[in-house]
């Protein structure tokens, strides 16, 4: 009985599977279009960090201009729930039904998984700035919400840096990696500064043209 109890504790103490392993599993098991619901179910615990990372990766893909208007709102929705302190992620049916064809998902997985795996190998618990996990979720949720709104703004290539920042912060949260968290905050702040400068320049140019 004691052996069973010890074995159970060891299994429960094992770290959760990383996002790259889950995406690889989904790609390997897919026999048709891969929907957001498939990935959500594969994540199991539907953690905010994993869902933020997943949607940020989607926004990093080389997709046609204007798609951020469609792909940005799921990030906003997850970030809002996180900032409000919800325990689980809720997604509406129309988002869960969004899908990629199996060949497209498999092709993107083979192309980007090695990069994600390389990044994940660098992540480990260190210098985490939050003493309470609940506080971390709320603070990160608020910052991720600002970045998610920036992702949705239809500026050419303006979504890439905010999406990358959200990915770094989400991976940092999953492993309590303070170094990666600060890197994500830096990238996010830089992205917001660039977007503000672009919008400001566009406003000034419009003012000159229509003055």
């Amino acid at each position: 009985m004691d052996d069973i109890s010890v074995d159970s504790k060891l299994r429960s103490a094992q770290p959760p599977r990383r996002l790259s392993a889950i995406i690889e599993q989904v790609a390997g098991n897919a026999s048709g279009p891969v929907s957001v619901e498939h990935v959500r179910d594969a994540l199991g615990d539907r953690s905010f960090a994993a869902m933020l990372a997943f949607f940020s990766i989607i926004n990093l893909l080389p997709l046609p201009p204007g798609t951020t208007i469609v792909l940005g709102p799921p990030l906003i929705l997850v970030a809002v729930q996180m900032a409000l302190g919800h325990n689980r992620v809720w997604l509406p049916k129309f988002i869960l039904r969004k899908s990629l064809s199996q060949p497209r998902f498999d092709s993107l997985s083979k192309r980007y998984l090695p990069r994600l795996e390389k990044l994940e190998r660098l992540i480990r618990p260190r210098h985490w700035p939050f003493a309470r996990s609940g506080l971390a979720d709320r603070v990160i949720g608020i910052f991720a919400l600002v970045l998610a709104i920036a992702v949705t703004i239809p500026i050419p290539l303006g979504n890439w840096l905010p999406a990358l920042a959200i990915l770094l912060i989400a991976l940092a949260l999953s492993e309590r990696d303070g170094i990666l968290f600060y890197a994500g905050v830096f990238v996010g702040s830089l992205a917001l500064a660039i977007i503000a400068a672009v919008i400001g320049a566009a406003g000034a140019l419009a003012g000159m043209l229509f003055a």
Side-chain angles (χ1 to χ4, degrees):
M1 189 72 175
D2 290 341
D3 292 340
I4 296 176
S5 176
V6 170
D7 184 58
S8 176
K9 288 180 180 179
L10 287 173
R11 284 198 303 269
S12 63
Q14 291 178 348
R17 289 180 305 158
R18 292 190 160 178
L19 185 62
S20 59
I22 295 172
I23 293 176
E24 187 175 18
Q25 175 194 328
V26 172
N29 294 340
S31 57
V34 179
S35 67
V36 173
E37 187 171 13
H38 286 136
V39 178
R40 192 276 314 268
D41 291 344
L43 292 173
D45 61 357
R46 303 183 221 181
S47 70
F48 285 97
M51 293 304 292
L52 278 179
F54 172 69
F55 284 119
S56 62
I57 288 173
I58 291 178
N59 279 279
L60 286 170
L61 299 177
L63 297 173
T67 53
T68 55
I69 298 176
V70 177
L71 299 176
L75 267 177
I76 293 176
L77 184 58
V78 174
V80 166
Q81 294 176 67
M82 194 172 178
L84 292 175
H86 291 191
N87 293 322
R88 298 180 68 183
V89 180
W90 174 85
L91 294 172
K93 288 289 185 182
F94 76 90
I95 291 179
L96 292 174
R97 283 195 287 262
K98 296 292 182 183
S99 63
L100 288 173
S101 67
Q102 191 273 332
R104 173 76 167 161
F105 189 87
D106 187 55
S107 173
L108 291 172
S109 298
K110 289 179 179 177
R111 182 176 178 181
Y112 289 99
L113 271 180
R115 304 178 191 180
L116 180 58
E117 290 170 346
K118 186 179 296 185
L119 177 60
E120 286 177 333
R121 283 195 291 270
L122 300 175
I123 304 171
R124 61 180 183 274
R126 53 186 170 178
H127 308 299
W128 188 240
F130 301 98
R132 289 169 32 201
S133 59
L135 178 63
D137 287 353
R138 288 178 179 272
V139 172
I140 290 174
I142 293 170
F143 191 54
L145 174 59
V146 176
L147 291 171
I149 293 171
V151 167
T152 310
I153 298 174
I155 298 177
L157 301 177
N159 68 309
W160 200 87
L161 271 182
L164 176 61
I166 294 175
L167 174 60
L168 295 177
I169 291 172
L171 293 175
L173 175 61
S174 67
E175 297 286 340
R176 301 298 190 265
D177 189 336
I179 301 298
L180 189 64
F181 171 73
Y182 291 124
V185 170
F186 173 78
V187 173
S189 300
L190 178 63
L192 294 175
I194 292 173
I195 291 172
V198 170
I199 293 175
L205 180 60
M208 292 172 59
L209 292 175
F210 296 102

